[in-house]
Amino acid sequence: MIKHLFFLLLFTLSSSLAFSQTEISGTLTDLDTKEPLIGANVVFEGTSTGTATDYNGAFSLMVPEGATSIVVSYTGYQDKIIEIGNQTLFNIELPSS
């Protein structure tokens, strides 16, 4: 009986760790005016996984396994590649092109 409870506990803990993901979030603004960039693309580099910023320039994404950087792009602005590392909150300013 104790052996079965031990394996059940072990299975529950290992499965919850396997499905845990990190979330990153942040805001995207114009470098000069500090205005939010609405509808900008935030994509994990080398994938098609991403999102668009909302009316406040905010975004939020679950980090897929193996992702190391994001690419931020917006029409009329210079693209920016940002390493994720252990950081979860980003305040990104894009210069116009």
Side-chain angles (χ1 to χ4, degrees):
M1 175 73 168
I2 292 176
K3 187 186 282 188
H4 292 298
L5 288 175
F6 173 74
F7 284 116
L8 180 62
L9 178 63
L10 183 63
F11 175 76
T12 304
L13 290 175
S14 64
S15 64
S16 66
L17 290 174
F19 292 109
S20 65
Q21 289 184 330
T22 303
E23 181 179 14
I24 62 169
S25 59
T27 57
L28 185 61
T29 56
D30 179 285
L31 177 64
D32 298 322
T33 67
K34 309 302 184 216
E35 292 291 318
L37 298 179
I38 303 166
N41 293 313
V42 181
V43 180
F44 291 103
E45 188 173 30
T47 73
S48 59
T49 303
T51 191
T53 57
D54 66 12
Y55 63 94
N56 291 318
F59 68 91
S60 178
L61 283 167
M62 297 304 288
V63 180
E65 186 176 332
T68 59
S69 58
I70 55 175
V71 179
V72 181
S73 61
Y74 192 66
T75 303
Y77 289 80
Q78 296 176 18
D79 291 356
K80 195 174 221 180
I81 299 174
I82 300 169
E83 296 297 317
I84 298 171
N86 292 329
Q87 189 174 351
T88 59
L89 183 61
F90 297 86
N91 293 308
I92 304 164
E93 296 178 328
L94 286 185
S96 59
S97 55

